[in-house]
Amino acid sequence: MAFDFPESFRFANSHEYAVLDGDFVRIGISAFAVDQLGDIVFVDLPDIGTTLERGKSFGSVESVKAVEDMYLSISGEVVERNDVVIDNPEDLQSDPHGKGWLLLIKPNNLSELDEMMDSSSYRAKIAPN
């Protein structure tokens, strides 16, 4: 299956993405990760105002196959979360790079984005051997 990974997105080894959105960073999970999970039934996200540390779990996504923790590649404070995805996990399933975003973070250090993979590197990472 071919996936579209926007050029402006940065990706983590654990399949989360980050994209600059004004002064903030929008966080989600990649279309590849969503495809691997199968039917998503539950999403757990932190509350607005929560301070998150890079490399730490910020929530989980549960599918009919598994429960997976999600990890943050950039430290910061949650300024918005997508409650629609919590109420309707199928939005994450159908449009992970659009209306299925998860968090909006006020970053502590934007240079952490530079340590993530660009879309072509991510595409190469997930390519079948």
Side-chain angles (χ1 to χ4, degrees):
M1 173 180 267
F3 297 102
D4 178 35
F5 300 117
E7 293 299 318
S8 60
F9 282 34
R10 307 298 273 178
F11 294 90
N13 281 323
S14 53
H15 307 290
E16 295 81 10
Y17 68 77
V19 61
L20 204 54
D21 187 347
D23 292 334
F24 302 103
V25 175
R26 192 166 303 277
I27 305 293
I29 60 174
S30 75
F32 173 78
V34 167
D35 180 67
Q36 296 299 300
L37 283 165
D39 291 333
I40 296 171
V41 296
F42 182 76
V43 179
D44 180 40
L45 297 174
D47 293 328
I48 293 171
T50 302
T51 299
L52 301 172
E53 286 184 51
R54 177 181 180 192
K56 304 287 184 184
S57 173
F58 68 86
S60 62
V61 61
E62 181 178 343
S63 73
V64 295
K65 293 182 181 179
V67 176
E68 296 289 336
D69 283 333
M70 298 177 286
Y71 296 92
L72 204 59
S73 293
I74 186 164
S75 301
E77 179 185 342
V78 177
V79 294
E80 192 176 336
R81 72 178 191 177
N82 190 349
D83 288 332
V84 172
V85 168
I86 293 172
D87 295 336
N88 301 297
E90 56 273 4
D91 281 357
L92 174 57
Q93 192 85 44
S94 66
D95 189 13
H97 297 162
K99 66 182 179 181
W101 63 275
L102 301 174
L103 299 176
L104 194 63
I105 302 288
K106 179 180 178 185
N108 292 343
N109 182 356
L110 272 178
S111 68
E112 290 175 337
L113 285 177
D114 298 335
E115 297 173 32
M116 297 176 74
M117 288 178 273
D118 61 22
S119 60
S120 61
S121 298
Y122 184 69
R123 203 175 288 112
K125 171 189 167 51
I126 64 166
N129 295 328

